[in-house]
Amino acid sequence: MQMIRVLERLGVPRVLMLGFLAVAIFMTGDGFELTFLSKFMVDQGFTSSQASLLVTTVYGLFAAFGGWSAGVLAEMFGARMR
């Protein structure tokens, strides 16, 4: 409960705290996923530098497209809070 008060004092609204936790968990899992994917690519015959470049590039492109499309959809339908 003390941590919630500290976060509220820092300006984090209570309704967004679970969202921030979910993003932190997702990004941790995403880092593990990239590691396993790079290892898989090396096992398929890519060099480690080729595998990491490919995995990072593909992730970056998808993240950029996802961010852009989320912005477009939020503009089209509006952000809704329940």
Side-chain angles (χ1 to χ4, degrees), residues 31-63:
F32 291 134
E33 180 181 301
L34 287 176
T35 303
F36 290 120
L37 189 55
S38 294
K39 172 80 170 102
F40 174 76
M41 298 296 287
V42 169
D43 290 344
Q44 296 302 312
F46 288 88
T47 66
S48 60
S49 62
Q50 288 174 330
S52 55
L53 179 65
L54 178 66
V55 169
T56 305
T57 302
V58 169
Y59 172 75
L61 290 174
F62 274 96

Side-chain angles (χ1 to χ4, degrees), residues 21 63 72:
L21 177 65
V72 169

